[in-house]
C-alpha cells in the first residue's frame, strides 16, 4: 500500500484528486468537484469511477423531497466528471490512432497459457502450500473480500455516493484480472477507495479488538519494508 503511493506512480495523483473531489462534495461545491473529478479521470482511467458517486447522490436525493434542492449542480458535476478520460482518449486517438490504447496495451501482459477459473483461490492457497508470502497475486482474493465487507459497511454508515463509487472497483479489478489472466494488480484498483480505511479504523477501534492495533501496525510496517525492498530491486509489487 505504501509503495503504491510513495513511488512515482499515477495512483498517488489520482487519489489526491479524488479526495479533493469528495471534499468538495461534502461542502456542497458540486460543479467544482466535477472539475476535479475530471482531472482525476485524466490522471488514471479508473478515475472515471468517481462519476458513480454523482449517480449515487442523484438517487439519494430523489428519495427525499428536501434533498432535491440543488439537484442541477449535482447533475452538472456528474456530467463534468468523465470529461478528463474522454479528453485522454481523444489525445490517444490523435497520437496513436487508438482511443482505447490504455486497454489494448494490456494484451502484452496476458499470460500465454489459459488458467483455471478458480485461480484467485488457488493463488491465495499458495501462501499456505508454498509459504511464499511475497507472491504478488496471493493477497488479491483476501483484499477483494475485505473490500466487499467494507463496501457493505459504507452502505450503512456513509452517504450513498461512497458505496456507489466503490461498487465499480471490484468489477474493474475482477474483469481486468480475468482479461490479463492475473489478479496481481487487483489490489491497486481496490485500495484507491479510501472508505476502506474508514471501515478498518472503526473495526480496530472496538474495545474487544484494540489488541489488534499493534499487531496491525507492526505487520503493516514489516510488509511495507519488505515490499519496498522488492520494488527497489525491480520486482513487481501490486
Amino acid at each position: 500500500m505504501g509503495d503504491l503511493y510513495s513511488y512515482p506512480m499515477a495512483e498517488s495523483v489520482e487519489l489526491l484528486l479524488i479526495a479533493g473531489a469528495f471534499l468538495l462534495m461534502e461542502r456542497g461545491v458540486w460543479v467544482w468537484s466535477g472539475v476535479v473529478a475530471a482531472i482525476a479521470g485524466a490522471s488514471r482511467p479508473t478515475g472515471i469511477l468517481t462519476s458513480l458517486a454523482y449517480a449515487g447522490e442523484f438517487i439519494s436525493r430523489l428519495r427525499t423531497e428536501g434533498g432535491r434542492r440543488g439537484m442541477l449542480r449535482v447533475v452538472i458535476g456528474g456530467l463534468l466528471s468523465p470529461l478528463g478520460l474522454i479528453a485522454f482518449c481523444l489525445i490517444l486517438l490523435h497520437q496513436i490512432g487508438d482511443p482505447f490504447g490504455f486497454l489494448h496495451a494490456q494484451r502484452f501482459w496476458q499470460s500465454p497459457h489459459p488458467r483455471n477459473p478458480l485461480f484467485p483461490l488457488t493463488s491465495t492457497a499458495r501462501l499456505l502450500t508454498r509459504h511464499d508470502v511475497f507472491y504478488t497475486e496471493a493477497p488479491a482474493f483476501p483484499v477483494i473480500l475485505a473490500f466487499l465487507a467494507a463496501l457493505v459497511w459504507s452502505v450503512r454508515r456513509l452517504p450513498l455516493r461512497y458505496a456507489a463509487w466503490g461498487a465499480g472497483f471490484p468489477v474493474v479489478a475482477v474483469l481486468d484480472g480475468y482479461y490479463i489472466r492475473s489478479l496481481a494488480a487487483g489490489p491497486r484498483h481496490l485500495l484507491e477507495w479510501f472508505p476502506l480505511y474508514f471501515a478498518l479504523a472503526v473495526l480496530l477501534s472496538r474495545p474487544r479488538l484494540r489488541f489488534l492495533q499493534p499487531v496491525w501496525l507492526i505487520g503493516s510496517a514489516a510488509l511495507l519494508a519488505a515490499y519496498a525492498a522488492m520494488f527497489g530491486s525491480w520486482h513487481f509489487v501490486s
Side-chain angles (χ1 to χ4, degrees):
M1 174 61 193
D3 295 324
L4 185 61
Y5 298 120
S6 60
Y7 284 97
M9 293 183 175
E11 281 87 351
S12 56
V13 175
E14 180 189 20
L15 180 60
L16 175 64
L17 292 167
I18 289 175
F22 273 87
L23 178 61
L24 291 171
M25 292 180 197
E26 293 292 340
R27 295 180 176 179
V29 190
W30 291 95
V31 176
W32 279 109
S33 73
V35 173
V36 176
I39 301 174
S43 66
R44 268 189 61 80
T46 50
I48 197 174
L49 294 177
T50 312
S51 300
L52 296 174
Y54 298 91
E57 182 67 19
F58 183 84
I59 294 173
S60 180
R61 294 196 178 203
L62 283 180
R63 295 176 178 176
T64 58
E65 291 294 334
R68 296 184 186 184
R69 296 182 60 183
M71 187 78 85
L72 179 60
R73 287 175 291 180
V74 175
V75 172
I76 293 174
L79 293 176
L80 289 172
S81 61
L83 294 183
L85 181 57
I86 292 174
F88 180 63
C89 291
L90 293 175
I91 292 173
L92 289 179
L93 177 63
H94 174 72
Q95 291 184 342
I96 64 175
D98 183 3
F100 302 108
F102 60 92
L103 292 176
H104 299 153
Q106 292 190 91
R107 67 170 61 100
F108 298 108
W109 290 84
Q110 285 183 320
S111 171
H113 305 292
R115 301 186 69 180
N116 186 315
L118 298 178
F119 75 84
L121 295 174
T122 56
S123 296
T124 301
R126 183 170 175 172
L127 287 173
L128 301 175
T129 59
R130 302 188 185 181
H131 308 290
D132 187 357
V133 296
F134 298 119
Y135 179 49
T136 56
E137 192 179 54
F141 186 70
V143 168
I144 290 175
L145 292 181
F147 180 92
L148 294 176
L151 191 63
V152 172
W153 175 88
S154 72
V155 171
R156 302 177 61 183
R157 299 289 189 91
L158 300 175
L160 182 59
R161 57 179 174 269
Y162 288 94
W165 169 47
F169 281 88
V171 175
V172 170
V174 172
L175 291 180
D176 181 70
Y178 275 91
Y179 175 67
I180 64 175
R181 305 188 188 113
S182 172
L183 280 176
R188 293 179 59 192
H189 297 298
L190 300 176
L191 293 178
E192 297 170 18
W193 190 69
F194 56 80
L196 174 65
Y197 310 107
F198 299 164
L200 180 62
V202 170
L203 178 66
L204 294 180
S205 66
R206 292 179 177 178
R208 294 182 179 180
L209 298 178
R210 285 181 180 174
F211 72 93
L212 291 177
Q213 292 181 7
V215 176
W216 175 265
L217 292 174
I218 294 172
S220 298
L223 283 175
L224 175 60
Y227 279 119
M230 290 177 63
F231 191 93
S233 58
W234 295 96
H235 290 82
F236 179 79
V237 176
S238 63

